[in-house]
């Protein structure tokens, strides 16, 4: 899927995910138990949610969000996953190699890489509920989802919002019959702090600032060669391998 992209974002409204030609991956890519079909008590700050994402071409892929307080992880494929820390750091983990690359707040500022933590944490900007009008309140399975409708980026869109966990049950950017992007919640379950911490243990980390001095490291050389990181650029890449200099370099935005 994504070649080391930091902020594949739809501006300040919805997280954008790079296109993947792979089918939906099974649940629990990051680990954990089988998802129970029962309605389990959920803490919005300690959960694991899996989404099916579909684009206008009908291509599907999965995305997993895990929360541990104000820290959260987003995984879009088996190659890597992203950790966003409450202190403003961003870390990219590579499970197969057991390596990681950390971007400090200063690195992100120097690279002019911008992100909206609220948007990432909630997958869609929580301000959408104030910019759209209420429709039906739906009880579906274990949740009450408040419906919203209205124009987003000039196109009619729909949102079903689960207030209890502060996440969308479904978000459709564009009309349902002709949408640009759609998120559907597949499953959600409790995920405790211990399990969250275990996901990032025993990784050999390197600061992005040290990448240029570590090109003799086989891992760094491989990542540079494959287009994941490149000394002297932003260090973030689109799924096509093109360097992303700043958030404004992305082709698709929602304003």
């Amino acid at each position: 899927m994504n070649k080391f992209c930091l902020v594949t974002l739809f501006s300040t409204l919805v997280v954008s995910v790079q296109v993947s030609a792979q089918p939906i991956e099974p649940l629990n890519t990051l680990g954990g138990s089988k998802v129970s079909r029962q309605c389990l008590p959920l803490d919005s700050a300690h959960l694991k949610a899996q989404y099916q994402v579909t684009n206008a071409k009908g291509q599907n892929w999965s995305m997993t969000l895990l929360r541990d307080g104000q820290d959260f992880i987003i995984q879009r494929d088996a190659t890597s996953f992203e950790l966003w820390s409450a202190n403003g750091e961003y870390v990219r983990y590579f499970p197969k190699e057991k390596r990681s690359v950390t971007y400090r707040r200063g690195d992100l500022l120097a690279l002019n890489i911008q992100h909206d933590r609220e948007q990432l944490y909630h997958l869609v900007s929580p301000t959408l509920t104030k910019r759209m009008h209420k429709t039906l309140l739906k009880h579906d399975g274990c949740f009450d989802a408040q419906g919203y409708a209205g124009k987003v980026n000039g196109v009619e869109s729909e949102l079903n919002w689960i207030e209890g966990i502060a996440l969308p049950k479904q978000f459709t950017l564009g009309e349902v019959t002709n949408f640009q992007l759609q998120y559907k919640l597949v499953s959600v379950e409790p995920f405790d702090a211990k399990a969250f911490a275990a996901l990032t243990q025993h990784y050999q980390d390197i600061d992005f600032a040290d990448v240029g001095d570590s090109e003799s490291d086989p891992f760094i050389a491989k990542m540079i060669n494959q287009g994941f990181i490149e000394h002297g650029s932003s260090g973030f890449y689109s799924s096509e391998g093109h360097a992303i200099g700043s958030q404004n370099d992305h082709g698709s935005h929602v304003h």
Side-chain angles (χ1 to χ4, degrees), residues 5-248:
C5 60
L6 164 67
V7 278
T8 45
L9 306 180
F10 276 134
S11 186
T12 58
L13 294 178
V14 58
V15 179
S16 166
V17 183
Q18 296 289 339
V19 173
S20 169
Q22 299 178 351
I24 297 296
E25 296 186 1
L27 298 181
N28 304 309
T29 305
L30 287 171
S33 60
K34 292 290 185 180
V35 178
S36 172
R37 297 302 177 185
Q38 299 178 348
C39 296
L40 302 175
L42 285 173
D43 176 356
S44 63
H46 298 278
L47 56 75
K48 172 183 177 181
Q50 182 153 340
Y51 284 81
Q52 175 180 312
V53 189
T54 307
N55 67 7
K57 297 179 180 180
Q59 295 168 305
N60 297 328
W61 62 96
S62 63
M63 179 174 66
T64 302
L65 168 71
L66 300 108
R67 292 175 177 168
D68 180 34
Q70 289 302 305
D71 293 345
F72 59 95
I73 284 172
I74 295 176
Q75 183 176 29
R76 301 182 179 96
D77 63 16
T79 303
S80 65
F81 60 90
E82 310 162 1
L83 170 66
W84 303 82
S85 300
N87 63 8
E89 293 181 356
Y90 164 86
V91 188
R92 188 79 168 192
Y93 290 90
F94 298 86
K96 183 178 180 180
E97 294 83 0
K98 300 300 290 185
R99 298 292 298 272
S100 60
V101 181
T102 294
Y103 287 73
R104 310 293 178 183
R105 293 183 65 181
D107 295 329
L108 299 179
L109 289 172
L111 294 166
N112 194 29
I113 300 295
Q114 303 174 24
H115 63 278
D116 184 337
R117 277 188 57 88
E118 285 295 295
Q119 174 186 315
L120 289 164
Y121 191 82
H122 300 283
L123 296 188
V124 302
S125 172
T127 64
L128 275 183
T129 59
K130 299 177 181 179
R131 300 172 59 181
M132 306 172 80
H133 61 270
K134 286 185 178 181
T135 56
L136 298 177
L137 178 65
K138 302 176 182 179
H139 181 74
D140 187 5
C142 299
F143 302 107
D144 288 328
Q146 177 63 57
Y148 292 87
K151 287 190 176 181
V152 178
N153 235 32
V155 296
E156 293 294 337
S157 303
E158 294 184 4
L159 169 67
N160 291 327
W161 182 254
I162 304 172
E163 184 65 32
I165 55 175
L167 283 171
K169 187 175 190 302
Q170 182 168 316
F171 175 71
T172 303
L173 179 64
E175 296 181 5
V176 174
T177 56
N178 188 29
F179 60 82
Q180 299 175 24
L181 190 72
Q182 186 176 78
Y183 288 88
K184 286 186 178 180
L185 182 64
V186 175
S187 65
V188 62
E189 61 180 307
F191 204 81
D192 63 29
K194 184 177 180 180
F196 188 95
L199 295 174
T200 59
Q201 291 179 355
H202 310 300
Y203 278 78
Q204 182 181 345
D205 187 69
I206 183 172
D207 282 351
F208 174 74
D210 298 327
V211 166
D213 298 324
S214 306
E215 293 184 14
S216 59
D217 181 326
F219 167 75
I220 298 299
K222 177 183 177 182
M223 293 299 101
I224 292 175
N225 182 59
Q226 294 185 357
F228 282 95
I229 49 179
E230 179 178 319
H231 183 57
S233 75
S234 72
F236 303 109
Y237 281 75
S238 70
S239 62
E240 291 78 27
H242 302 307
I244 299 171
S246 69
Q247 185 176 351
N248 293 330

